[in-house]
Amino acid sequence: MKMEQIVLTEPDMQYADDIWAFRQEILDCDAECEDRFAGCISLDISTSAKEWITICELRKSEKTCGEAGTTVPSHMYLAVRSKDDRVIGIIDLRHHINHPVLGTWGGHCGYSVRPSERGKGFAREMLRLNILNAKALGIPKLLITCDENNKVSERVILANGGVYEKTIDVDGSRVKRYWISAAGDPA
């Protein structure tokens, strides 16, 4: 099956209804998953798509990210399928990981794929496109992590050139750390 084309775009009100539908689908399908909103910072606690889009905008700058509850600026991207303009997933890109949690197990990005669109290769393409975003922002390599038992996420990381570093313990869970070069040369 040929991979459907997607693009990464920053959150915008034109996608407000679909962002909210994405959120509801995650809530309905992944209710038991603790990490169900990976890469969707604050989407779970936002009261509207507009509020979440505002938070995403604030998080982009070192000067305003504190207003959004963080000390580390980041960009949020919607993965939008080209053929029907549907939000397929959400992925973030943290500008740095000079933070105790991010530098240990949070990493540079997290991502979620809409439950009805999983298993189609979208996560792999989302991460590939986000690596290009990292390169454009001058981030030479990315720390990407996954739970030791999350084989799907591990395959996504490996398919994008992830180089295993080590497995660490985080609050009773085992987390694998991988590095991906954004510069085009080995990590």
Side-chain angles (χ1 to χ4, degrees):
M1 182 167 102
K2 186 179 179 221
M3 174 70 192
E4 295 177 278
Q5 185 178 2
I6 60 170
V7 295
L8 295 186
T9 187
E10 292 187 35
D12 184 273
M13 283 304 293
Q14 86 179 65
Y15 294 107
D17 290 343
D18 206 18
I19 290 167
W20 214 241
F22 173 95
R23 177 186 183 272
Q24 191 59 52
E25 192 172 327
I26 295 276
L27 288 171
D28 292 345
C29 297
D30 295 339
E32 301 302 316
C33 179
E34 185 177 308
D35 200 23
R36 66 181 172 253
F37 283 100
C40 303
I41 308 304
S42 300
L43 184 58
D44 56 336
I45 59 170
S46 294
T47 59
S48 68
K50 181 178 181 178
E51 178 186 11
W52 183 72
I53 291 166
T54 299
I55 290 169
C56 292
E57 188 63 31
L58 289 169
R59 292 178 69 97
K60 289 176 11 182
S61 167
E62 191 88 47
K63 293 177 184 174
T64 59
C65 66
E67 295 175 49
T70 186
T71 58
V72 178
S74 63
H75 273 73
M76 189 71 62
Y77 299 99
L78 305 175
V80 177
R81 185 168 44 209
S82 299
K83 77 174 185 181
D84 60 3
D85 215 30
R86 184 173 198 225
V87 175
I88 298 301
I90 297 176
I91 189 166
D92 67 340
L93 177 60
R94 298 170 194 116
H95 298 183
H96 64 78
I97 55 171
N98 300 332
H99 180 278
V101 171
L102 299 179
T104 305
W105 62 268
H108 281 92
C109 71
Y111 44 87
S112 292
V113 174
R114 189 178 208 131
S116 60
E117 299 291 349
R118 291 179 182 156
K120 300 176 182 178
F122 290 121
R124 180 178 51 205
E125 181 65 1
M126 287 166 56
L127 183 54
R128 185 189 75 78
L129 293 169
N130 213 29
I131 293 165
L132 297 175
N133 289 336
K135 183 176 182 175
L137 286 174
I139 302 169
K141 64 181 183 174
L142 294 98
L143 172 63
I144 310 289
T145 65
C146 66
D147 185 276
E148 183 177 54
N149 298 319
N150 190 340
K151 299 304 179 192
V152 173
S153 191
E154 184 175 30
R155 284 192 300 270
V156 167
I157 295 166
L158 291 171
N160 278 285
V163 176
Y164 175 77
E165 179 192 57
K166 64 182 175 181
T167 302
I168 60 172
D169 289 311
V170 178
D171 298 328
S173 295
R174 307 269 297 151
V175 175
K176 290 185 168 186
R177 290 170 48 103
Y178 292 87
W179 289 95
I180 297 177
S181 172
D185 43 88

